[in-house]
Amino acid sequence: MPIIEASGLSKTYRVYQKQEGLFGALRGLFHREYKEVNAVENVSFAIEPGEIVGFLGPNGAGKTTTLKMLSGLIYPTRGAATVLGHVPWQREDAFRRRFALVMGQKNQLWWDLPAADSFQLHREIYSLPIEQFTRTLGELTELFGVKELTRQPVRELSLGERMKMELIAALLHQPQLLLLDEPTIGLDVIAQVTIQKCLREYNSVRGVTMLLTSHYMRDVEALCK
């Protein structure tokens, strides 16, 4: 059974068209004009367990919107999808505990606190047993090579180190599916290669399924078949 199965997935936004000038603004108070923008149109695919799949397209093609629908953050306009056997936008607890979403331009860690404190917060959110949490955190910090940095405030870390911490936070509850939206954006070549290596090794050891969007073809070539 596929981990992700999407059929005709579409998302359309109704966008208000603001008129130019004072007269246009006054007219807009009484007669608003809208246009429809197709962010995602008729996307269908299936991803099997353990695969790392690259999801490619230019800016505005709808990659991030698709990931948001698959993670249940937004509702589709049309189409259907199942993720880990669940309809994602029903947002069942059993579903939310089995996947993680990492967006390269969004932070889930507290900026002024050490990453270790944010990790403890994640432990509480997911009700992780302390033994499991400690063991998993030790394995992940060793894999990503940041064991000595977890007590340092996140704002003092480099961009590459912060991304490693973001990935660790996403993997603490041992998800079966990892959705990655441009995880290496803004990183230098060395940091990109390090992230690629860690993700490839984690997939090999844990068998976690990954769906990756990236503008760096090196990411796709290094990770995806």
Side-chain angles (χ1 to χ4, degrees):
M1 180 179 178
I3 289 283
I4 300 177
E5 194 164 16
S7 176
L9 205 58
S10 304
K11 180 65 178 179
T12 302
Y13 290 101
R14 192 165 176 252
V15 180
Y16 168 56
Q17 293 291 97
K18 189 174 181 180
Q19 304 296 315
E20 293 184 1
L22 178 60
F23 178 75
L26 291 172
R27 184 169 178 268
L29 292 175
F30 304 98
H31 180 70
R32 294 199 159 209
E33 296 182 2
Y34 296 87
K35 73 172 183 178
E36 289 192 342
V37 176
N38 293 322
V40 176
E41 188 169 8
N42 198 32
V43 172
S44 301
F45 60 88
I47 297 177
E48 299 297 325
E51 286 190 308
I52 305 181
V53 176
F55 195 37
L56 306 180
N59 286 333
K63 303 184 298 299
T64 300
T65 303
T66 301
L67 291 192
K68 286 181 177 180
M69 287 190 284
L70 294 176
S71 61
L73 291 177
I74 59 176
Y75 290 80
T77 306
R78 297 178 303 280
T82 56
V83 180
L84 296 161
H86 298 266
V87 177
W89 41 91
Q90 291 180 354
R91 300 173 184 172
E92 299 164 288
D93 281 345
F95 165 66
R96 290 186 291 181
R97 290 175 180 275
R98 296 174 63 194
F99 83 95
L101 170 65
V102 177
M103 307 183 78
Q105 297 176 321
K106 302 287 184 182
N107 296 321
Q108 60 181 325
L109 303 176
W110 289 83
W111 186 250
D112 292 313
L113 296 178
D117 292 353
S118 292
F119 297 157
Q120 287 290 342
L121 177 61
H122 277 66
R123 183 180 78 82
E124 295 291 341
I125 290 172
Y126 288 100
S127 302
L128 301 175
I130 185 66
E131 298 83 4
Q132 175 190 325
F133 167 80
T134 304
R135 183 177 64 254
T136 304
L137 179 59
E139 292 171 354
L140 290 171
T141 52
E142 184 174 344
L143 173 65
F144 285 91
V146 292
K147 187 168 287 189
E148 306 302 321
L149 299 175
T150 58
R151 295 307 312 172
Q152 193 169 329
V154 170
R155 57 182 162 75
E156 296 179 3
L157 301 175
S158 70
L159 188 58
E161 290 166 347
R162 289 204 303 272
M163 180 49 61
K164 291 178 184 178
M165 298 298 186
E166 294 282 348
L167 288 167
I168 289 171
L171 295 171
L172 280 171
H173 63 289
Q174 299 181 359
Q176 295 172 258
L177 171 66
L178 185 58
L179 303 174
L180 298 163
D181 189 28
E182 299 188 43
T184 59
I185 189 168
L187 302 186
D188 60 47
V189 174
I190 295 174
Q192 288 176 32
V193 171
T194 303
I195 295 292
Q196 293 162 7
K197 178 179 177 292
C198 292
L199 289 173
R200 191 166 57 242
E201 186 173 338
Y202 192 82
N203 167 263
S204 175
V205 173
R206 295 281 186 172
V208 64
T209 307
M210 300 182 189
L211 178 58
L212 165 79
T213 78
S214 180
H215 286 156
Y216 299 121
M217 286 306 296
R218 287 180 181 175
D219 284 349
V220 178
E221 292 168 354
L223 293 169
C224 308
K225 293 182 181 179

